[in-house]
Amino acid sequence: MFKQSIHSDRAFSVVDEEGNLAGNCEFYNVQEDEIEILVVGLQMKPSLTGQGLGSWLLQTLISEQ
């Protein structure tokens, strides 16, 4: 689940089913050779890395958009 940041309408905290912080993500646009590209920044809480949760975090991001 995503919770929108109070500082940006394109930045979100990612929380698990119990409301615990799992990571965050941010969306922003860049332009290269007159083509606009959506860039996604995705970070996971360090204590959760190395546990096979990266695919869960990415799938959560995809399913929410």
Side-chain angles (χ1 to χ4, degrees), residues 1 14-17 22 44 52-61:
M1 172 175 40
V14 181
V15 295
D16 65 16
E17 298 82 18
M44 181 177 281
L53 298 172
S55 59
W56 167 80
L57 188 59
L58 186 57
Q59 287 300 321
T60 300
L61 171 67

Side-chain angles (χ1 to χ4, degrees), residues 13-61:
S13 294
V14 181
V15 295
D16 65 16
E17 298 82 18
E18 297 170 354
N20 299 310
L21 180 67
N24 60 64
C25 64
E26 179 180 12
F27 304 91
Y28 55 96
N29 296 67
V30 297
Q31 190 161 354
E32 184 174 310
D33 297 327
E34 299 184 26
I35 298 172
E36 191 167 306
I37 301 168
L38 175 64
V39 177
V40 179
L42 182 61
Q43 298 84 34
M44 181 177 281
K45 186 175 177 180
S47 63
L48 298 176
T49 62
Q51 301 178 38
L53 298 172
S55 59
W56 167 80
L57 188 59
L58 186 57
Q59 287 300 321
T60 300
L61 171 67

